[in-house]
Amino acid sequence: FFSKTRSNMANESESKINYDTKEELTPEERIAWLRERGVLVETSEERKGTEIKHVEVDGEEYRDVSFVHVPQDESVPMKQLTTKVRKSQIGKGDVLMEELKPLFSALSNNLDLNLLQKTHHFGSGNDGSPGTVSQDALKAVAEQGQVESFCLVQPMPPNKFTSVNIYLDEVGLLKRLPLNKRAGAMALKAGFNPAPKFYGDVFIGRLKSQPVLSNVDFKLGVDTSPNAEWLQRATMQNLEYQTAINSISGKTDQVQPSADGEDGVAKAEEGGLYSWTQTDEEIELIVPLGSSADGNDTGALTSKDVKAGGLKVKYNPRSVTVTFRGTEMLNLKLYASVDPDGCTWTLDMGKKQTSLNITCEKIDAVSWPRITN
């Protein structure tokens, strides 16, 4: 047999082995002894048992295929799952795209329907012109479970035309699911920089495209390790794949489009009443305060003007309010929560304009699709 040590599993006291006792153990006892101490052990008999076996049930052959569940909660360990693939399903598509729909439909009641209507375009009639879709209809679609796949490594001759895919909730962001940092870290290691953002629990599986399309095993441990063979080769294989596609299409590499307010590009709102930028950790609001107190439209406000105007900024977990010159000039209902104790404001005293800059720390370090709720 051979063994692979799972890092950070055994503490210092457990790592001290009594070699005299170990030598007296039978092979079976030695395997049990190692497994009790967090060592993954696979015997030759067990390896044979993991080979694809076709079993006949109810008159139809099927085989078990393994895939891995990656919870967004990093305190919850990953888990290996299996699904049964009927012989008649082989060559007809990715089985996991259908099998995972019920798992993603559970949170459909939390769907942000207003955001869905804003970010998706719908047509009505024969001409495909924009139409109105009821919230009940949108919710009914979400309840069916929407599965999206993201290819971590493309099928290439070096990997025997076998891809590794992340399966995620297509409307996970609209359900306001937390960011799955483990999935993002795996994509980053596979060569995607910046790494895509995956929301909620995800699943990872393997798909073979030649000679016939079929799901194959992706296993916990050997395939989820940071040193997994497929992951070590993923960056180069993806680069080779992209180079081949570029040579055919003539297009240059394209990166994932940025969300509103990212990359330091301010997003103007409400006709220029304010603009905003964001990182995963914080948002910044830029609010122009208007002209000088003497009525000269070309003059920027001075600190004396701002003080005379009684500028007040109020922070709540889900809102920011700005009052100036006796008027509530901004009452912003935020998309998600911020930490009021982590909010500050400063004045940007420009030559032509004075602006109020408000910085707020996000409670959850994730990108927001918009600034308002």
Side-chain angles (χ1 to χ4, degrees), residues 97-98 100-117 120 122 133-148 168-177:
M97 294 293 288
E98 290 295 324
L100 295 175
K101 281 186 176 182
L103 299 177
F104 289 135
S105 68
L107 293 176
S108 57
N109 289 334
N110 297 333
L111 185 65
D112 188 338
L113 296 173
N114 292 326
L115 182 57
L116 178 60
Q117 289 175 317
H120 290 68
F122 304 94
V133 181
S134 70
Q135 291 195 348
D136 288 340
L138 295 175
K139 195 170 184 178
V141 172
E143 287 175 349
Q144 298 174 9
Q146 304 299 310
V147 183
E148 179 182 354
L168 61 146
D169 190 334
E170 187 176 17
V171 290
L173 173 61
L174 305 183
K175 294 176 182 179
R176 303 194 179 191
L177 300 179

Side-chain angles (χ1 to χ4, degrees), residues 70-75 168 172-185 187 195-202 256 262 279-281 335 362-369:
V70 184
Q72 59 80 18
D73 185 347
E74 294 182 89
S75 67
L168 61 146
L173 173 61
L174 305 183
K175 294 176 182 179
R176 303 194 179 191
L177 300 179
L179 188 69
N180 194 314
K181 295 182 180 179
R182 283 186 291 194
K197 293 180 173 64
F198 305 103
Y199 295 90
D201 290 10
V202 304
Q256 183 185 14
E262 288 188 334
T279 64
D280 283 349
E281 292 76 24
Y335 172 80
K362 298 177 180 177
I363 293 294
D364 297 316
V366 297
S367 179
W368 294 3

